[in-house]
Amino acid sequence: MHSESLDLREVMVFLAAAGLVVPLVARLGVSPVLGFLGVGLLIGPYGLARLGDSAPWLAHVVISDLAGVQALAELGVVFLLFMIGLELSLERLWAMRRLVFGLGSAQVLLTAVVIAGIASAFGNPLPAAIVLGAAFALSSTAIVMQLLLENRRLGTAAGQTAFAILLLQDLAVLPILLLVGGLATRAEGSPLVAFASAMALAAAAVGVILVIGRLVIRPLFRFVGGAASREMFLALVLLVIIGTAAATQGIGTSMALGAFLAGLLFSETEYRHQIEVDIEPFKGLLLGLFFVSVGMGLDLATITREPVWILASVVGLFVVKGAIVYGLARLFGEPRAVSTEAALLLGQGGEFAFIVIALATSLGLMPAVTAQFMGLVTGLTMVATPFLASLARRWAGAIEAAVAGNGQPAEGVAGDISGHVIVVGYGRVGQLLGSLLEAQQIAHVGIDSDPSHVASFRQRGACVFYGDASQVQLLERLGAGRAAALVVTMNSPLTTERVVEAARRHWPQLPIYARAHDARRARALIAHGASHVVLETTEASLQLGEMVLTGVGIPEDAARR
């Protein structure tokens, strides 16, 4: 093997950072995303490598081959989008079409026009201004989605809104790249023709992949499953992911779109959960490598040369994109808290901005100095996103707390959310249930009638709303018709019966779980429509009895029976 084909030293540096530095940062309460970005800044060519002349030993702990790292890091985004697709289904994606194709399209087009206008006003030629508008219309799918997953916010209204916009942005990559090529040809009408042909090609490719995938995936995996080889199973999964990503890249769109389509195909099969377990380590490591590569590309020395312009550009990008996302989200009926959180989450530049700007520079549409400046602005906005995500949660929580504190009903959750659990009564039992659901990454919303109680949870980022759950309109706004279950844990027996009766009358197929103080109340809840009822005294007695039997020597399984 040639030594240049694989630099084991650089692999060891990255693994040391992932295995030692990032856990240390996480223990300090800092986001792992921010930890990876900081590590990349430290070990990259613009970090410790600058001290190589005075300390030659540093050459052993830095990574200088940025291009090689970035090529591998792209796979991190591919696996992230695959995991997201795996959590969805074609039916749910179709249910989100209003946000994806309505809100998402409006955000990309309006942001591109506004930023192009600003760039042109600052003296950039029209082609360069158009490229900058298109590039900065896109946000960072990798960073935003990872932050939503880390903080268990993907199932919330803000998470669903941000995801819908990001999904459309990924679909827009192909038209943007072809638009850049059309601008470079300077042929009359070529940008419009390129855009139309790109959309037709993308639609045809998506259709072919989905049709062939549905026909082939299950028979192929049944055949491999018959061999009872986990290695062969994993190899076939990786083949489908990378093969689909390569197919979409081959027609000029992003690898991430192909990986997302592969995830959608697997989401409807019985192999979904095993695939999640097998792929998670690959996704985590490669996505970490992507964040490291972003940090490695930041040359902080440039900031010292033009600090005012760079700071103004970073802040300006967040303000412009945030204002557009907020305004459009409100126009599409999203609550103030949801619109605010989505606006702060999506204000940064994205990983595809590097690709678009690099292509424009190579085609002579943009000076290298401008490209370097805009690349730094993009990287800095990505670094700032974890801080703004934390601010967004607190800010949105404060808005919701104000709504609850005024005694107003819940503004609701994302209109497209489904498969979630509604927990009525967010006291001790409801909180414990919510923690269990979060641990399993199951979306849930809580309802409580105590405004101060709700306000305290909203300030901590919990998806809890104020209101009277016996009102069918409130349950409907919280997606009861699409929920996986309704759990009623309130202390008031009469209120519990009203909630159960109202829910059963309007949603006959909805599983309803409730707790009761005694057997008489349990029978009443069953009569009102509860699917399952748990007695408080019985449950506590059984748990205590099991512990006592185990403690005096009865085997654990026998004691549980």
Side-chain angles (χ1 to χ4, degrees):
M1 176 182 294
H2 298 290
S3 60
E4 64 267 24
S5 63
L6 180 63
D7 193 333
L8 291 179
R9 180 190 60 80
E10 294 185 352
V11 174
M12 290 174 62
V13 170
F14 169 70
L15 292 177
L20 299 176
V21 178
V22 173
L24 176 62
V25 172
R27 180 164 293 187
L28 297 176
V30 180
S31 167
V33 172
L34 194 58
F36 278 118
L37 291 170
V39 167
L41 185 62
L42 187 66
I43 66 176
Y46 304 116
L48 293 177
R50 291 185 182 274
L51 305 177
D53 294 336
S54 57
W57 60 271
L58 288 175
H60 300 290
V61 295
V62 297
I63 299 177
S64 56
D65 183 16
L66 185 58
V69 170
Q70 288 175 333
L72 188 60
E74 289 181 13
L75 291 176
V77 183
V78 167
F79 279 97
L80 173 66
L81 266 294
F82 172 76
M83 296 294 286
I84 293 170
L86 202 61
E87 295 293 331
L88 285 175
S89 65
L90 290 173
E91 288 75 15
R92 185 177 173 190
L93 183 60
W94 179 249
M96 294 175 63
R97 63 189 181 278
R98 183 182 66 89
L99 289 178
V100 174
F101 300 105
L103 177 57
S105 298
Q107 183 274 326
V108 170
L109 292 174
L110 183 58
T111 305
V113 170
V114 171
I115 294 181
I118 294 173
S120 179
F122 274 87
N124 290 281
L126 183 59
I130 294 175
V131 169
L132 290 175
F136 284 123
L138 309 179
S139 304
S140 176
T141 300
I143 289 181
V144 174
M145 292 306 302
Q146 184 66 17
L147 290 171
L148 289 174
L149 291 172
E150 280 179 12
N151 298 298
R152 307 190 189 281
R153 302 286 292 168
L154 186 56
T156 65
Q160 293 290 290
T161 302
F163 169 68
I165 294 175
L166 289 170
L167 182 55
L168 194 283
Q169 289 178 0
D170 288 335
L171 294 172
V173 171
L174 172 61
I176 289 174
L177 291 177
L178 291 182
L179 178 64
V180 173
L183 290 171
T185 63
R186 307 293 176 90
E188 184 178 355
S190 58
L192 182 60
V193 173
F195 181 84
S197 62
M199 293 303 294
L201 185 61
V206 169
V208 170
I209 289 173
L210 292 178
V211 170
I212 295 178
R214 281 195 162 190
L215 295 175
V216 170
I217 288 292
R218 273 197 172 92
L220 186 61
F221 273 80
R222 288 195 189 103
F223 174 75
V224 173
S229 171
R230 187 174 180 183
E231 291 79 6
M232 291 177 60
F233 179 84
L234 180 57
L236 187 58
V237 171
L238 294 174
L239 175 63
V240 172
I241 297 172
I242 298 175
T244 311
T248 53
Q249 186 188 42
I251 63 168
T253 188
S254 67
M255 296 174 64
L257 174 60
F260 178 79
L261 294 176
L264 281 180
L265 293 173
F266 281 120
S267 68
E268 300 177 342
T269 70
E270 60 271 29
Y271 308 105
R272 167 185 168 182
H273 297 294
Q274 182 61 49
I275 292 172
E276 287 179 344
V277 173
D278 290 341
I279 294 299
E280 182 66 30
F282 293 94
K283 188 264 293 185
L285 272 178
L286 291 172
L287 195 59
L289 185 58
F290 167 78
F291 296 133
V292 169
S293 71
V294 172
M296 290 172 61
L298 297 179
D299 184 2
L300 298 184
T302 306
I303 300 178
T304 62
R305 293 194 293 268
E306 297 181 282
V308 176
W309 280 112
I310 288 178
L311 179 61
S313 300
V314 170
V315 174
L317 183 59
F318 274 111
V319 170
V320 170
K321 291 186 70 174
I324 292 173
V325 171
Y326 179 85
L328 289 175
R330 292 289 288 157
L331 187 63
F332 274 76
E334 298 297 335
R336 285 183 296 121
V338 171
S339 303
T340 300
E341 186 173 354
L344 289 174
L345 278 172
L346 299 174
Q348 77 290 127
E351 49 272 6
F352 292 121
F354 295 115
I355 299 174
V356 173
I357 291 174
L359 176 62
T361 305
S362 66
L363 294 175
L365 294 174
M366 188 181 301
V369 175
T370 303
Q372 184 181 16
F373 181 91
M374 293 304 175
L376 181 60
V377 170
T378 302
L380 289 175
T381 58
M382 295 170 78
V383 171
T385 299
F387 297 105
L388 286 176
S390 177
L391 175 63
R393 291 194 303 274
R394 291 197 297 268
W395 201 345
I399 294 174
E400 288 288 358
V403 172
N406 292 331
Q408 300 176 17
E411 290 186 297
V413 296
D416 304 307
I417 190 174
S418 62
H420 57 297
V421 177
I422 302 175
V423 181
V424 180
Y426 220 71
R428 289 180 292 111
V429 177
Q431 293 172 42
L432 178 59
L433 178 59
S435 299
L436 292 173
L437 293 171
E438 285 180 0
Q440 298 301 316
Q441 298 187 9
I442 298 174
H444 73 283
V445 294
I447 312 174
D448 203 276
S449 57
D450 185 342
S452 60
H453 196 61
V454 172
S456 65
F457 278 104
R458 296 298 303 185
Q459 289 175 340
R460 284 180 271 170
C463 192
V464 183
F465 299 91
Y466 166 81
D468 179 4
S470 63
Q471 296 179 345
V472 175
Q473 295 86 349
L474 175 59
L475 292 176
E476 188 172 9
R477 293 186 67 180
L478 295 177
R482 303 177 301 278
L486 174 71
V487 184
V488 187
T489 70
M490 300 188 312
N491 288 320
S492 171
L494 294 179
T495 306
T496 300
E497 291 175 9
R498 287 203 305 270
V499 172
V500 170
E501 183 178 16
R504 177 56 68 218
R505 184 170 61 251
H506 286 82
W507 298 284
Q509 305 302 320
L510 177 65
I512 301 176
Y513 302 83
R515 67 167 181 153
H517 295 291
D518 50 45
R520 182 174 64 86
R521 293 294 184 185
R523 288 192 294 270
L525 286 172
I526 293 293
H528 282 87
S531 307
H532 304 278
V533 178
V534 175
L535 291 174
E536 293 180 5
T537 53
T538 302
E539 181 68 19
S541 300
L542 289 174
Q543 290 184 3
L544 181 61
E546 180 184 342
M547 292 174 64
V548 172
L549 291 174
T550 304
V552 299
I554 302 297
E556 186 174 339
D557 290 341
R560 184 171 294 110
R561 286 196 300 272

